[in-house]
């Protein structure tokens, strides 16, 4: 059983995590949900489109202007509290690598710490444990937060992903996080070039075989753009193809910008697999 906030996720079910960026310089939406009103409107919209949870972030992953912990807290904590008030049962994750930010967000109502930078803050798992929260343990190749990979090399990128993420997961459990609330993420694009991210997708079943639930954050990423030779605004098709492959190979949680098409993709994979019945089956019967 995978547990996310109040949500118990049976084996085989998919969880769609909608991205809500409270940043003025997001690579995808260019600050469209930086304002509190716009951010809350997006939450209402993605829930209506089929999101199972929302992921709130206050600092873009790429290099850019320095964002202090106090500013990250200012951007995210009030939003978390407002989402919790508007959607009492909706699981919320806070996208941060900083323990001090996570502590404030969890106190405001967040359920999960989404650590995209591979445990650079050793106190983060303990903060999650103290709050009874979950944690996402991500492979970032050992890079510091908000840095891009440069000529990074691995003897075997998937072996490195498995080793680092499972070590982080076990450390989180040792710190007191409920084992059923720990998720691992191969970290597409983080500490990787495009070939690494493609290989991580192709061999995702090796990560699934560890027994830890797997989250994938694929949405509109550079490896999709480079693979297809398309700009940011044309990456949805490649993202959905990668989503379908990842779902088929056993990923459980999907972090996405485009909720409605991602929901349809996951539902179609589930129906092909036989774990979700079609909503209508009259063809050949009427």
């Amino acid at each position: 059983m995978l547990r996310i906030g109040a949500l118990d996720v049976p084996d085989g079910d998919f969880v769609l995590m909608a991205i809500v960026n409270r940043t003025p310089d997001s690579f995808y939406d260019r600050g469209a949900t930086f304002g509190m009103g716009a951010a809350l409107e997006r939450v209402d919209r993605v829930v209506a489109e089929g999101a199972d949870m929302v992921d709130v972030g206050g600092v873009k992953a790429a290099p850019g202007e320095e964002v202090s912990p106090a500013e990250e807290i200012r951007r995210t904590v009030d939003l978390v509290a407002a989402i919790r008030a508007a959607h009492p049962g909706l699981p919320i994750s806070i996208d941060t690598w900083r323990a001090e930010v996570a502590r404030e967000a969890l106190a405001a109502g967040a359920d999960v710490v989404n650590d995209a930078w591979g445990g650079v803050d050793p106190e983060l798992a303990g903060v999650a444990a103290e709050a009874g929260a979950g944690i996402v343990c991500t492979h970032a190749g050992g890079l510091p937060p908000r840095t891009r990979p440069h000529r990074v090399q691995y003897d075997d990128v998937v072996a490195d992903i498995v080793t680092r993420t499972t070590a982080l997961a076990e450390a989180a459990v040792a710190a007191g996080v409920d084992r059923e609330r720990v998720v691992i993420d191969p970290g597409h694009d983080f500490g990787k070039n495009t070939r690494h991210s493609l290989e991580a997708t192709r061999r995702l079943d090796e990560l699934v075989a560890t027994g830890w639930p797997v989250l994938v954050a694929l949405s509109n990423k550079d490896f999709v753009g480079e693979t297809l030779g398309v700009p940011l605004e044309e990456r949805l098709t490649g993202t959905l193809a990668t989503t379908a492959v990842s779902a088929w190979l056993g990923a459980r949680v999907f972090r996405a910008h485009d909720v409605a098409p991602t929901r349809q993709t996951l539902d179609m994979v589930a129906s092909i697999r036989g774990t979700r019945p079609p909503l209508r089956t009259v063809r050949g019967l009427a």
Side-chain angles (χ1 to χ4, degrees):
M1 179 70 73
L2 167 62
R3 305 181 69 195
I4 302 174
L7 183 66
D8 288 340
V9 187
D11 286 346
D13 282 10
F14 299 135
V15 176
L16 177 47
M17 171 195 279
I19 301 166
V20 182
N21 287 318
R22 192 94 199 275
T23 58
D25 52 0
S26 166
F27 90 98
Y28 181 70
D29 61 34
R30 312 297 187 193
T33 54
F34 185 49
M36 176 67 82
L40 289 172
E41 287 176 6
R42 171 159 173 81
V43 172
D44 292 341
R45 183 168 64 255
V46 298
V47 168
E49 291 175 343
D52 300 299
M53 65 182 297
V54 294
D55 185 49
V56 173
V59 184
K60 73 173 183 178
E65 183 178 347
E66 175 67 21
V67 179
S68 69
E71 174 61 15
E72 187 180 358
I73 288 169
R74 188 191 71 79
R75 292 178 181 183
T76 59
V77 171
D78 286 351
L79 176 58
V80 168
I83 296 169
R84 176 55 64 234
H87 299 274
L90 180 69
I92 305 167
S93 57
I94 177 68
D95 179 0
T96 187
W97 72 89
R98 291 164 164 158
E100 57 204 295
V101 176
R103 183 177 289 109
E104 296 293 331
L106 293 170
D111 305 287
V112 178
V113 179
N114 182 13
D115 175 19
W117 288 104
V120 294
D121 188 333
E123 297 182 9
L124 196 60
V127 168
E130 289 170 9
I135 192 166
V136 179
C137 302
T138 305
H139 181 274
L143 265 65
R146 305 190 68 192
T147 56
R148 297 188 188 278
H150 179 69
R151 301 188 183 279
V152 63
Q153 296 183 4
Y154 299 94
D155 291 335
D156 182 328
V157 65
V158 175
D160 199 84
I161 291 169
V162 168
T163 298
R164 289 180 189 255
T165 57
T166 57
L168 288 168
E170 292 292 354
V173 172
V177 179
D178 182 350
R179 180 174 290 270
E180 294 182 339
R181 297 187 180 277
V182 178
V183 178
I184 60 176
D185 176 359
H188 288 78
D189 273 2
F190 281 59
K192 300 169 190 67
N193 61 32
T194 289
R195 292 183 183 275
H196 292 145
S197 292
L198 290 171
E199 185 168 358
T201 306
R202 184 166 57 251
R203 297 170 57 191
L204 193 69
D205 56 341
E206 296 177 39
L207 197 57
V208 172
T210 67
W212 296 101
V214 174
L215 178 151
V216 288
L218 312 166
S219 190
N220 298 295
K221 284 198 167 177
D222 285 349
F223 82 95
V224 174
E226 288 193 356
T227 297
L228 300 178
V230 295
L232 177 61
E233 60 273 12
E234 296 177 16
R235 295 179 184 176
L236 178 57
T237 300
T239 296
L240 296 178
T242 313
T243 297
V245 169
S246 299
W248 190 259
L249 291 176
R252 301 288 303 283
V253 185
F254 299 80
R255 184 176 183 270
H257 297 100
D258 301 284
V259 171
T262 303
R263 180 82 272 167
Q264 288 189 355
T265 299
L266 295 174
D267 286 350
M268 195 68 192
V269 171
S271 295
I272 293 168
R273 194 174 57 184
T275 55
R276 172 190 177 274
L279 294 184
R280 185 168 181 262
T281 53
V282 299
R283 178 175 172 80
L285 300 177

